[in-house]
Amino acid sequence: MKKKLIVGNWKMNGSLAANEALVAALKQGLAAQAADGGCGVAVAVPAPYLAQVQALVADSRIALASQDVSQHAAGAYTGETSAQMLRDFGVRYTLVGHSERRQYHGETDAVVAAKAQAALAAGITPIVCVGETLQEREAGETQAVVKRQLAAVVHAVGHCVTELVVAYEPVWAIGTGRTASPEQAQEVHAVLRAQLAAATTQAEGIALLYGGSMNAANAAQLLAQPDIDGGLVGGAALKAADFLQIIAAAN
Ligand code: 13P
């Protein structure tokens, strides 16, 4: 069976002390789980803590991820972090187009596509986030919205489409405790899979993650869906016991 991938998105949370305690607890819990054959695990940490967490996860199966990346390679872009800089800290994945970036930082489909390209050029796997708002769902626009968001990236990256990870995160399910049902999530994942299949014969190998109030109680059912290959976990990734239970459900 295809290996699943569980990514914790810490968002703007943490401190040196809290990160150290959380990673120590995760490492201890992972050591007690099956040593091999387990799912992929990554944590997307705030930029200032990349070096700290790089060192903390070095001797574990936890990979390092960034929450964002600049679409530019270098230059006068105050406050931005380039993909090459992320590489310097061992970053393996970066989120691009998280709904909080689209919503609060005005990231358009074109910007998100450029960020995915910048990540790929530096050897970092982009985790492309797509998802509809509640208003869009209620208007029956879910499929059109996620297809438009994914199409921009697929078009921009060309044959590198097989190197993407895609995360479906319905905006109405993020941080609300209101998870998409396994059927609702699977329906959208199948649409995304079909869209990828139109671009590559290897669409089956592209990891499609679900995100939005995934927790220890609902993870197993979501992960049992045929087109759900993993999870992008927010709140529950900040509690070691919960995150470990989600990982155990994906192993
Ligand atoms: P929650 O798991 O807190 O709903 O967040 C999901 C998310 O946005 C992960 O990127």
Side-chain angles (χ1 to χ4, degrees):
M1 213 182 68
K2 190 158 75 177
K3 253 195 183 191
K4 296 205 187 291
L5 174 63
I6 302 296
V7 181
N9 175 9
W10 292 0
K11 306 193 179 183
M12 199 173 72
N13 294 291
S15 65
L16 287 172
N19 303 345
E20 192 170 341
L22 177 55
V23 174
L26 290 178
K27 280 168 42 172
Q28 196 178 23
L30 288 174
Q33 288 184 10
D36 48 34
C39 67
V41 179
V43 288
V45 310
Y49 297 125
L50 286 169
Q52 181 207 12
V53 179
Q54 178 188 27
L56 291 174
V57 301
D59 58 348
S60 79
R61 69 185 242 227
I62 304 171
L64 190 60
S66 167
Q67 298 176 9
D68 185 29
V69 63
S70 174
Q71 73 260 47
H72 305 290
Y77 301 104
T78 302
E80 295 283 287
T81 306
S82 76
Q84 207 55 55
M85 293 171 186
L86 298 177
R87 277 298 292 177
D88 275 347
F89 292 92
V91 166
R92 174 128 166 249
Y93 302 95
T94 183
L95 306 184
V96 296
H98 190 282
S99 61
E100 288 150 19
R101 301 288 319 168
R102 294 180 191 260
Q103 197 178 340
Y104 308 137
H105 301 273
E107 291 190 10
T108 61
D109 292 339
V111 166
V112 174
K115 289 184 174 211
Q117 280 181 297
L120 287 169
I124 294 173
T125 300
I127 301 175
V128 180
C129 304
V130 301
E132 82 288 3
T133 62
L134 185 58
Q135 201 184 7
E136 288 163 339
R137 174 161 281 265
E138 286 174 346
E141 293 165 3
T142 298
Q143 296 192 8
V145 168
V146 299
K147 280 179 169 169
R148 189 202 74 223
Q149 291 172 333
L150 183 58
V153 177
V154 169
H155 177 74
V157 305
H159 68 275
C160 291
V161 63
T162 53
E163 290 165 46
L164 300 175
V165 171
V166 178
Y168 169 54
E169 296 207 308
V171 177
W172 49 270
I174 295 176
T176 57
R178 191 179 158 192
T179 322
S181 70
E183 295 73 23
Q184 281 175 322
Q186 167 57 29
E187 188 182 6
V188 177
H189 280 232
V191 167
L192 298 173
R193 183 86 67 198
Q195 188 177 358
L196 293 167
T200 171
T201 55
Q202 292 164 61
E204 271 307 313
I206 299 174
L208 301 185
L209 315 184
Y210 168 79
S213 298
M214 184 180 265
N215 59 36
N218 61 31
Q221 260 199 311
L222 286 159
L223 294 168
Q225 298 300 311
D227 288 301
I228 300 186
D229 306 315
L232 182 52
V233 186
L238 297 172
K239 292 172 244 153
D242 292 22
F243 195 53
L244 285 164
Q245 271 188 272
I246 295 170
I247 292 165
N251 273 337

